[in-house]
Amino acid sequence: MKFNKDDFKRWFAEGNAEKIGVNKYIEQTTQWKKIFSFNELKKFYIKEYLTE
């Protein structure tokens, strides 16, 4: 599956990730414990949700 910016935005808006600071994000499936940069969060999303 190919990365779709709108799908990523929707996933984020649905509460799957939250911005906690400048270029700092947390994500639900990591139990809100791992801090990601925006690029790391995007790579995580692709790995977890778009790869087979």
Side-chain angles (χ1 to χ4, degrees), residues 12-52:
F12 191 95
E14 288 173 351
N16 292 294
E18 291 184 17
K19 186 171 185 173
I20 60 168
V22 176
N23 199 32
K24 290 184 180 180
Y25 301 84
I26 52 176
E27 189 277 334
Q28 181 182 32
T29 65
T30 62
Q31 299 181 339
W32 309 108
K33 294 179 182 175
K34 179 166 173 42
I35 297 175
F36 297 89
S37 68
F38 180 77
N39 286 332
E40 291 169 337
L41 183 63
K42 183 177 169 184
K43 288 177 187 177
F44 175 84
Y45 171 82
I46 291 168
K47 179 182 174 229
E48 294 296 316
Y49 297 98
L50 302 181
T51 56
E52 297 176 10

